[in-house]
Amino acid sequence: MHSAKKRKSVRAAHAGTGRGPASRSSHREDRPRARYRALLIAALAVAGLLGSVLVFLNGGTTGASSGAGDAMTRMEVRAPAGTPAGTGTPTRVPDGKPSVTPGGKPHAAPTPGVTKPGTGSAAAGTGRFITAAASGKPVGTGAIRRYKVQVEQGSGVPATTAADEISGILADPRGWTADGHDAFQLVSSGPYDFEIKIATPPTVDRICGAAGLHTHGEVNCDVGDQVIVNLKRWNTGSPEFPGPLHDYRALIINHEVGHRIGHGHEGCPGPGRPAPAMMQQIDGLHGCTANAWPYDSHGTYLGGPPVP
């Protein structure tokens, strides 16, 4: 009797403290869970290590380089002379180097700015272009350069409206026709010398990138027989250029066409004087005042010293 009671009390004590046979069975069931947790923790640690390696291989960031825009404000890139669109290795030219582009040598013009809401600069383009059904008489005297105006489908820019504005810029008496030996004619078909295309930033990156030019969704470029105008710049201008948006558009066209007819970069001629249209005004005015036109209303060339 005493032995039976003693055995019952021992089993009760084990049950109360969790050290009986039932407890040992429970520990055996927990071992697989413990192993699972250990394996899970190890897997997470390995994933974290792989993520760190990928970040290191990407230069410390998993996104695009944060310095891309800054680099484009300090540097102009262009392909070697005579490189057709879509071929060649780009040459990076620091500011201060000449960038004469007769015949359409590719180059990217650094004109970054801030997108303003509601301007359509974030429009989704199709990659296809509409040629403006517009043409005009030659303006200026001398060799005639025929050009087309095209806009990307989905950009929100009417082709004829863009053609009217661009042809007005090239026909302005303050424009390149004032030199007495350059003339331009807007055409919608037939032979032409170059195209002026307004394109969404991704399309600009694709076209310019095919020639080795990195526009980073921000800037314009001149490649082959094409002047590629970034829709973002066309719609928003640049915070570095005060004044009407039309004047900034005039600066884009005059600068790019100026390269096309053989002009290189120029510097500020002196404090308070108009900045040349061939000056990289985005890099700072250096005492000059912002200006979009190569000539003044009296036919005087608004030039500056050649940039060596």
Side-chain angles (χ1 to χ4, degrees):
M1 291 292 293
H2 290 294
S3 297
K5 290 180 180 179
K6 185 175 182 180
R7 284 195 298 271
K8 289 180 181 179
S9 64
V10 169
R11 284 197 295 269
H14 283 318
T17 59
R19 293 194 298 269
S23 177
R24 287 194 296 271
S25 175
S26 175
H27 283 310
R28 284 195 298 269
E29 292 171 355
D30 286 343
R31 285 170 189 163
R33 296 175 188 171
R35 284 195 297 271
Y36 174 79
R37 285 195 296 270
L39 289 173
L40 179 61
I41 292 170
L44 291 173
V46 171
L49 179 59
L50 288 175
S52 299
V53 171
L54 288 174
V55 169
F56 175 79
L57 292 176
N58 279 319
T61 175
T62 56
S65 172
S66 61
D70 293 339
M72 290 304 295
T73 65
R74 297 190 300 271
M75 184 172 290
E76 179 174 74
V77 295
R78 57 185 173 89
T83 303
T87 64
T89 302
T91 301
R92 299 189 68 83
V93 184
D95 290 340
K97 298 291 183 181
S99 180
V100 182
T101 57
K105 296 177 187 176
H107 79 285
T111 52
V114 178
T115 303
K116 298 176 183 177
T119 60
S121 57
T126 65
R128 296 185 295 273
F129 288 85
I130 301 169
T131 300
S135 58
K137 296 179 180 180
V139 294
T141 58
I144 298 174
R145 288 179 170 83
R146 295 173 176 83
Y147 66 95
K148 292 181 178 181
V149 172
Q150 298 183 323
V151 299
E152 185 178 359
Q153 289 179 333
S155 66
V157 177
T160 54
T161 301
D164 287 345
E165 186 164 10
I166 291 170
S167 63
I169 291 168
L170 291 176
D172 193 288
R174 298 167 294 173
W176 290 115
T177 59
D179 63 13
H181 55 78
D182 281 297
F184 306 95
Q185 182 180 11
L186 172 66
V187 298
S188 58
S189 61
Y192 63 91
D193 296 286
F194 64 97
E195 298 170 325
I196 298 175
K197 293 184 173 180
I198 300 175
T200 58
T203 300
V204 174
D205 288 349
R206 177 177 57 80
I207 296 174
C208 302
L213 304 178
H214 304 293
T215 46
H216 301 288
E218 290 288 337
V219 301
N220 315 297
C221 83
D222 184 4
V223 58
D225 61 358
Q226 304 171 98
V227 171
I228 311 297
V229 178
N230 194 310
L231 178 67
K232 187 175 182 180
R233 302 278 67 80
W234 184 260
N235 281 343
T236 69
S238 168
E240 304 296 331
F241 186 93
L245 179 59
H246 173 72
D247 283 359
Y248 187 74
R249 292 174 177 176
L251 177 59
I252 293 174
I253 300 303
N254 286 325
H255 189 94
E256 299 298 342
V257 173
H259 280 310
R260 204 159 266 284
I261 62 177
H263 291 268
H265 288 140
E266 300 174 0
C268 176
R273 297 179 64 181
M278 296 311 300
M279 179 178 171
Q280 291 181 295
Q281 296 181 39
I282 192 66
D283 291 334
L285 296 176
H286 305 290
C288 276
T289 59
N291 165 58
W293 302 98
Y295 291 83
D296 67 14
S297 57
H298 303 291
T300 301
Y301 183 64
L302 302 175
V307 173

